[in-house]
Amino acid sequence: MHCLDCSSGGRQTPAIGVCRQCGAAVCAQHVQLGRQSLTCTKPIKRAVTIDPPVRRLLCRTSSAAHQAHAACCPQSANTARTP
């Protein structure tokens, strides 16, 4: 599998991962490595953060979208609920 961003530029670079958001293959140059905290909901709708945070691979496009969302809604940035 080759990096989608490199392929768009006419290069074929082996991918090292897949974007968690959009599923695009990404190479070491184009990957954005982040962390994401998992939460679970306890009684009375109380969210509890679970440690340690998980790794999150994103392409540059999805990373930019997440940063824009975090600027708009900082209370929900970097969290994902677990069932």
Side-chain angles (χ1 to χ4, degrees):
M1 187 173 356
H2 295 104
C3 174
L4 179 64
D5 288 336
C6 286
S7 294
S8 298
R11 295 186 321 256
Q12 289 194 347
T13 307
I16 62 162
V18 175
C19 175
R20 183 188 183 320
Q21 186 68 42
C22 71
V26 289
C27 68
Q29 180 183 355
H30 290 113
V31 70
Q32 300 292 312
L33 182 60
R35 303 193 95 167
Q36 181 172 9
S37 297
L38 301 178
T39 63
C40 62
T41 304
K42 297 294 185 180
I44 313 174
K45 300 232 180 231
R46 181 174 53 100
V48 176
T49 301
I50 300 167
D51 284 321
V54 297
R55 276 186 298 219
R56 180 176 67 173
L57 299 177
L58 294 173
C59 67
R60 288 184 176 178
T61 302
S62 293
S63 179
H66 276 270
Q67 288 174 2
H69 179 261
C72 176
C73 307
Q75 71 278 7
S76 64
N78 284 338
T79 60
R81 291 196 177 173
T82 59

